[in-house]
Amino acid sequence: MTMKIAFIGFGGVGQALAELLHTRRQHLLETYGLDTQVVAVSDVMKGAVYHPEGLDIPTLLREVRENGSVTEYPDHTGLIKGWDSIQTIEQSNADMIVEVTFTDVETGQPAIDHCKCAFTNKKSVVTTNKGPVALAYRELAQLAEENQVYWGFEGTVMSGTPALRMPLASLAGNEITEIRGILNGTTNYMLTEMEKGSAYQDALEKAQSLGYAEADPTSDVEGYDVRYKTAILANYVMGYPLASRDIPCKGISGLTQDDIKEAKASNKRWKLLARVKKEGDQVTASVQPELIDQDDSLAGITGPTNAIVYDCDMAGEIMLTGAGAGLIETGYSLLIDIIDFHRTKTPIVAHEEDA
């Protein structure tokens, strides 16, 4: 049975996934029996188009990349243009919503409302937006379960590196007592540059010139991006209802060259670390720069690379490392969830299936 997909948001990540669905179509069909069809795109800036029998992906991508919009997609019988995101979710025949809008991580909107709308309309969702998972995990997971639909969000912590699926699937049976991670490539790159001798501001400017840091780098350098990811780990992996606002958070903006030099003299290294620790029935979390020994498993993670360590009672310390950002990597994370949804046969919440 063909999986019908609607994109809510069609920026770089959405386009990357669409291209993967097109270029890997035969492989997905032969390897997984997965046949997909994009039926809708709705983007607040790029316009909206819907056809119940499917849209041509190369044409969509060409229109967006050449004209910045899908509004000039060639008209033909049955084509509808101009639907907003809610209309697209409610009225299209899609059974999978790819939610990749530009979302305010402080409010989780509009992604939270998109997820709610999809679930109440019996439609599954895959997303890379941190806001819904960090701010409304319990409510949305319950709503998805009540409506027997799938909710996948693998890409919210480490993009295409499976930081969420691995602990609940491959490490099943272990009790995970602590999670430590380098979850922001921008700040890790900056700290690496500072160790090479760059001042904080110079390291930031290098990160911006390479596209690692935004023009306004506040979310990265003050640790807010990592705090949302830490909340996701606490809620999803540890199963503990911890709000992101309740996680103590400190970024790297206060670190100086003197701090870096003192650390090196002591054979230590500064890293911006996320920590989630379980003690009895309680789970605590923090985000802050920490001095770690050079022989620490996370000390060797340099540049924009991410890494996460799970302390397990039976398997011991397990570390996963990989890219934490990038259009192809993030698009791939959505594909991971789509394949997982297809494999479940009976659609249910990702947390329940993985656990």
Side-chain angles (χ1 to χ4, degrees), residues 105-106 130-131 133-135 156-157 181-184 187 218-235 242-251 272-276 285-288:
V105 290
E106 292 187 10
K130 295 183 286 292
V133 196
L135 301 175
T156 56
V157 173
I182 297 170
L183 303 180
N184 183 273
T187 50
T218 304
S219 182
D220 290 328
V221 300
E222 298 301 339
Y224 304 147
D225 172 70
V226 177
R227 180 164 61 178
Y228 295 119
K229 295 173 180 178
T230 305
I232 293 169
L233 290 166
N235 280 271
L242 188 63
S244 60
R245 64 179 176 274
D246 295 330
I247 298 174
C249 179
K250 183 180 180 181
L272 181 62
L273 292 189
R275 282 187 185 268
V276 185
S286 65
V287 175
Q288 62 185 2

Side-chain angles (χ1 to χ4, degrees), residues 3 23 41 82 109 160 173 190 207 214 231 249 253-254 275-276 347:
M3 184 189 300
T23 59
V41 167
Q109 296 295 2
M190 289 174 62
E214 300 289 341
C249 179
S253 59
R275 282 187 185 268
V276 185

Side-chain angles (χ1 to χ4, degrees), residues 19 59 93 120 141 185 261 292 302 349 355:
E19 194 154 13
T59 302
N93 65 345
T120 55
K261 289 175 182 177
I292 61 175
T302 58
V349 179

Side-chain angles (χ1 to χ4, degrees), residues 57-77:
I57 292 176
T59 302
L60 281 172
L61 294 174
R62 185 179 66 250
E63 289 295 327
V64 167
R65 292 168 182 175
E66 292 182 2
N67 303 314
S69 170
V70 297
T71 57
E72 297 303 315
Y73 188 93
D75 287 312
H76 57 282
T77 303

Side-chain angles (χ1 to χ4, degrees), residues 2 15 21 61 72 84 86 100 107 160 167 181 244 252 265 267 270 278 291 309 320 340:
T2 300
Q15 293 171 43
L21 292 175
L61 294 174
E72 297 303 315
D84 64 22
I86 297 300
V100 283
T107 65
S244 60
I252 69 166
N267 203 33
W270 283 104
K278 184 176 183 181
L291 271 177
V309 175
L320 179 66
D340 188 55

Side-chain angles (χ1 to χ4, degrees), residues 298-310:
L298 290 173
I301 305 302
T302 58
T305 305
N306 284 193
I308 193 165
V309 175
Y310 305 94

Side-chain angles (χ1 to χ4, degrees), residues 18-322:
E19 194 154 13
L20 286 173
L21 292 175
H22 176 67
T23 59
R24 304 292 178 92
R25 185 177 186 280
Q26 197 61 34
H27 170 75
L28 293 171
L29 189 59
E30 292 175 356
T31 306
Y32 305 106
L34 173 61
D35 187 23
T36 61
Q37 183 181 66
V38 175
V39 296
V41 167
S42 180
D43 185 291
V44 69
M45 299 297 291
K46 299 176 179 65
V49 62
Y50 165 63
H51 197 291
E53 295 178 8
L55 301 166
D56 182 65
I57 292 176
T59 302
L60 281 172
L61 294 174
R62 185 179 66 250
E63 289 295 327
V64 167
R65 292 168 182 175
E66 292 182 2
N67 303 314
S69 170
V70 297
T71 57
E72 297 303 315
Y73 188 93
D75 287 312
H76 57 282
T77 303
L79 191 74
I80 297 174
K81 294 181 179 180
W83 278 357
D84 64 22
S85 57
I86 297 300
Q87 284 178 297
T88 301
I89 294 169
E90 291 179 339
Q91 298 182 41
S92 75
N93 65 345
D95 43 39
M96 170 60 73
I97 304 299
V98 176
E99 209 295 333
V100 283
T101 59
F102 181 79
T103 287
D104 184 339
V105 290
E106 292 187 10
T107 65
Q109 296 295 2
I112 289 176
D113 284 348
H114 291 156
C115 290
K116 287 181 179 179
C117 181
F119 297 156
T120 55
N121 282 275
K122 308 291 185 181
K123 297 181 180 184
S124 295
V125 173
V126 295
T127 185
T128 55
N129 270 318
K130 295 183 286 292
V133 196
L135 301 175
Y137 174 73
R138 295 284 160 178
E139 178 188 4
L140 292 175
Q142 182 177 350
L143 189 60
E145 185 173 13
E146 287 172 356
N147 287 281
Q148 285 295 288
V149 292
Y150 181 96
W151 184 27
F153 41 84
E154 180 61 68
T156 56
V157 173
M158 282 177 65
S159 190
T161 305
L164 296 177
R165 184 161 284 109
M166 190 189 82
L168 295 186
S170 300
L171 299 179
N174 284 277
E175 180 181 10
I176 298 174
T177 55
E178 186 174 19
I179 304 170
R180 298 183 301 136
I182 297 170
L183 303 180
N184 183 273
T186 300
T187 50
N188 203 54
Y189 171 82
M190 289 174 62
L191 290 173
T192 301
E193 290 302 302
M194 289 176 73
E195 287 182 347
K196 295 176 182 178
S198 294
Y200 171 87
Q201 189 60 37
D202 291 336
L204 174 57
E205 290 174 4
K206 287 181 184 178
Q208 289 172 323
S209 70
L210 292 169
Y212 299 144
E214 300 289 341
D216 179 359
T218 304
S219 182
D220 290 328
V221 300
E222 298 301 339
Y224 304 147
D225 172 70
V226 177
R227 180 164 61 178
Y228 295 119
K229 295 173 180 178
T230 305
I232 293 169
L233 290 166
N235 280 271
Y236 185 69
V237 178
M238 293 294 203
Y240 191 84
L242 188 63
S244 60
R245 64 179 176 274
D246 295 330
I247 298 174
C249 179
K250 183 180 180 181
I252 69 166
S253 59
L255 288 178
T256 66
Q257 259 301 318
D258 287 341
D259 296 321
I260 301 295
K261 289 175 182 177
E262 287 177 13
K264 291 177 73 174
S266 302
N267 203 33
K268 294 180 183 292
R269 192 168 247 173
W270 283 104
K271 292 293 181 186
L272 181 62
L273 292 189
R275 282 187 185 268
V276 185
K277 190 169 185 177
K278 184 176 183 181
E279 294 181 311
D281 295 331
Q282 295 298 308
V283 171
T284 58
S286 65
V287 175
Q288 62 185 2
E290 294 189 26
L291 271 177
I292 61 175
D293 294 328
Q294 290 281 7
D295 60 359
D296 188 294
S297 55
L298 290 173
I301 305 302
T302 58
T305 305
N306 284 193
I308 193 165
V309 175
Y310 305 94
D311 286 338
C312 307
D313 62 344
M314 291 186 289
E317 186 180 277
I318 302 293
M319 185 169 80
L320 179 66
T321 183

